[in-house]
Amino acid sequence: MIEHTLTVAGVTVDARHWIGGERVASAETFTDVSPIDGRAIGEIARGTPAQAAAAVAAAKAAFPAWAATPRAERARILHAVADGVEKRLEELAVVETTDNGALLRSHRRGVMPRVAHNFRFFADWLLKLDHEDFETRGHTNHVSWDPAGPSVLITPWNAPLMLATWKVAPALAAGNTVVLKPAEWSPLTASLLADIAAEAGLPAGVLNVVQGYGSEIGDALTSHPDVRRISFTGSVPTARRIAASAAAHLTPLSLELGGKSPLLVFADADLDLAVDLAVEQYDNAGQVCLAATRILVEDSVAEEFTRRFVEKAGQLTQGDPREEAADIGPTIHPRQLEKIDGFVRRALDAGARAVIGGHRKDGRYYAPTLLTGVTQDSEIVQEEVFGPVLTLQTFTTEDEAVRLANDTRFGLAATLATGDRARAERVTARLVAGTVWVNCFFVRDLRAPFGGSRQSGVGREGGSWSFDFYCDLKNTVTAPNGWSQDHG
């Protein structure tokens, strides 16, 4: 007998889909396993193409009424969703830590408050979304943002709820309806979000959640003729499949993909700050697309930088992410752990040296690793590992630093440590990246555009850029006369 509800860290979570305002079971399930101890959390409804299509149908049916809902009312409901998130913040935090292994203290203090902020921000931005009218030879141009329609949102496992709501909130604010497909390795908080949204008064069918494997239901979602927008965060190979699937109907895509971001450390930088920035890249066990995994250090300070890095990294505590003292948790899945270890073993076989780490630990933990002796064309430098593995290379000149930084197929982010403002301006202007941080890291503002260059993505979201994507922009041009009736 299939159990429809699970108890996760004392919290009840429904394991079924959420379609058209109702819980929907599947004949088959998949097992959700906690990366903390490898124990099964429970069985999750395994979606079928028919259920994916049903979710799109529910979104299509709900779209006209939601699109016609006044902006102020949509914003009110989104604020109510944020209230619900804040009310259940502790429950969301403990469930997500159990499900994906990220630090509980981070979920409590940063991630879940950010989830609520995502809804509040886009609700407020909706109310001020406007473009000043302008004239052309006496004719008035008026720009409007029309809701596009049902949107399929496919989200990753490394920050499940935060990254889901980064998409869900603007899509709903724009007047679109949503089918959310969470990653199968971390589906639980998406189910809780469905409950919270329903309690907040979001109409049935406006938000739908379908769980399962992308290989089984992905094409049914991304190739559906009634889907008007697709937003995906994940790997480049999966993005290629989604783009090919969406091509039949020319469905607009927003893709936030992988990264191999550099951290450039110049000799004039505050070395303690630079070391702090470098060690911070181990956050979430290195399972962060924005992580600056390629450390590029000016050769005159490389030895001292490395010494301080080893000392600082040695202070990190790796262990149970539910413990307050933990700095690094586990890798989410045995398959991911094997992938990380494979990258490192091949790099060591090719001549790299592990200054720290370079090996697995008990369970699903991988030791924080720093590799030196790597070449620019090596796999470990060119390919995304998505684990706690950094490489260190040196440079002599500013031109060489920029060349090395830009010499991958990615362009998601870059971080720069320097004490010279003019150098910072020169270098950032030449870096290929969607986001550049100077003497800081991971400072994110929802007003800013976010996305990647090259194979790190297509499009930008955030602020008005999100509404530009989730809406059909319309320009209405009106003649100054010709009215047979004018009621003022």
Side-chain angles (χ1 to χ4, degrees):
M1 179 178 177
I2 298 174
E3 295 291 336
H4 293 318
T5 59
L6 312 175
T7 300
V8 185
V11 180
T12 300
V13 182
D14 202 301
R16 295 171 291 179
H17 314 290
W18 178 254
I19 300 174
E22 297 180 349
R23 287 293 176 179
V24 177
S26 289
E28 296 186 21
T29 63
F30 64 93
T31 305
D32 188 27
V33 176
S34 175
I36 299 174
D37 52 18
R39 294 183 182 178
I41 297 172
E43 296 299 308
I44 308 297
R46 182 171 173 173
T48 64
Q51 289 173 323
V56 174
K60 180 182 180 182
F63 173 68
W66 182 245
T69 301
R71 285 187 178 189
E73 177 63 8
R74 294 205 303 264
R76 184 195 68 78
I77 293 174
L78 293 186
H79 274 289
V81 175
D83 292 341
V85 169
E86 290 171 346
K87 181 180 178 181
R88 301 184 68 176
L89 189 147
E90 178 66 16
E91 294 180 10
L92 292 167
V94 297
V95 168
E96 188 136 299
T97 291
T98 303
D99 205 17
N100 89 325
L103 299 182
L104 180 56
R105 60 180 167 88
S106 294
H107 281 141
R108 285 171 169 159
R109 300 170 192 172
V111 177
M112 295 309 162
R114 178 60 179 267
V115 168
H117 176 64
N118 285 345
F119 284 103
R120 297 200 191 282
F121 173 87
F122 286 107
D124 292 341
W125 197 273
L126 168 67
L127 296 180
K128 63 184 179 182
L129 187 66
D130 192 24
H131 190 291
E132 184 177 347
D133 290 352
F134 55 97
E135 290 193 0
T136 305
R137 300 191 299 277
H139 295 62
T140 300
N141 293 262
H142 176 74
V143 176
S144 58
W145 285 261
D146 292 353
S151 302
V152 167
L153 312 179
I154 304 172
T155 54
W157 46 260
N158 58 321
L161 192 57
M162 194 276 285
L163 291 177
T165 56
W166 159 256
K167 301 174 187 295
V168 170
L172 296 181
N176 292 358
T177 51
V178 165
V179 178
L180 172 62
K181 193 278 180 193
E184 60 268 23
W185 288 352
S186 56
L188 299 181
T189 48
S191 181
L192 291 176
L193 177 64
D195 294 335
I196 292 170
E199 292 166 5
L202 192 70
V206 174
L207 172 65
N208 306 274
V209 179
V210 182
Q211 301 150 158
Y213 296 108
S215 59
E216 296 177 351
I217 62 175
D219 187 65
L221 293 172
T222 57
S223 66
H224 200 291
D226 292 330
V227 171
R228 296 291 180 261
R229 294 292 186 273
I230 300 170
S231 181
F232 168 73
T233 297
S235 70
V236 172
T238 301
R240 290 194 181 105
R241 292 194 293 271
I242 290 172
S245 181
H249 303 289
L250 297 179
T251 308
L253 296 165
S254 177
L255 304 173
E256 196 267 278
L257 309 177
K260 196 68 180 176
S261 302
L263 164 58
L264 290 77
V265 180
F266 287 91
D268 54 31
D270 177 334
L271 276 193
D272 285 335
L273 170 63
V275 166
D276 286 345
L277 293 174
V279 173
E280 192 176 350
Q281 309 310 312
Y282 291 132
D283 183 50
N284 200 20
Q287 299 168 136
V288 179
C289 59
L290 293 163
T293 56
R294 295 185 297 129
I295 304 174
L296 307 175
V297 186
E298 192 164 351
D299 53 8
S300 62
V301 295
E303 184 176 346
E304 179 62 16
F305 173 90
T306 304
R307 184 189 68 77
R308 297 190 197 185
F309 177 94
V310 170
E311 180 181 356
K312 183 77 174 181
Q315 298 170 11
L316 296 174
T317 298
Q318 187 168 27
D320 190 323
R322 296 167 295 192
E323 300 295 332
E324 184 72 16
D327 299 304
I328 303 176
T331 300
I332 191 166
H333 193 276
R335 196 159 67 212
Q336 186 65 19
L337 184 66
E338 182 62 32
K339 176 184 173 185
I340 294 166
D341 192 49
F343 271 115
V344 173
R345 284 187 286 104
R346 289 190 296 274
L348 294 175
D349 289 344
R353 183 174 73 90
V355 178
I356 61 171
H359 57 85
R360 300 185 189 195
K361 302 176 76 173
D362 291 339
R364 296 189 184 180
Y365 294 81
Y366 201 88
T369 297
L370 177 66
L371 301 177
T372 59
V374 297
T375 59
Q376 184 62 23
D377 61 353
S378 63
E379 178 192 53
I380 197 69
V381 169
Q382 292 294 324
E383 298 299 327
E384 184 177 45
V385 177
F386 222 63
V389 178
L390 311 179
T391 61
L392 189 149
Q393 298 167 270
T394 62
F395 62 85
T396 304
T397 67
E398 190 174 295
D399 285 344
E400 184 184 11
V402 172
R403 178 182 62 78
L404 291 172
N406 288 339
D407 187 21
T408 73
R409 60 193 173 99
F410 298 104
L412 186 56
T415 303
L416 173 64
T418 179
D420 186 332
R421 182 183 295 272
R423 166 173 278 155
E425 293 174 354
R426 287 194 308 270
V427 172
T428 56
R430 298 172 64 190
L431 291 174
V432 178
T435 300
V436 179
W437 287 287
V438 180
N439 294 327
C440 60
F441 178 67
F442 216 45
V443 178
R444 291 278 301 276
D445 192 311
L446 288 179
R447 294 172 293 182
F450 180 75
S453 303
R454 296 176 176 167
Q455 292 192 30
S456 284
V458 175
R460 297 291 186 271
E461 295 187 44
S464 294
W465 292 274
S466 285
F467 288 95
D468 288 349
F469 173 69
Y470 288 108
C471 292
D472 289 324
L473 269 73
K474 178 191 293 178
N475 184 43
T476 302
V477 184
T478 305
N481 48 41
W483 306 108
S484 59
Q485 298 181 29
D486 190 346
H487 300 286

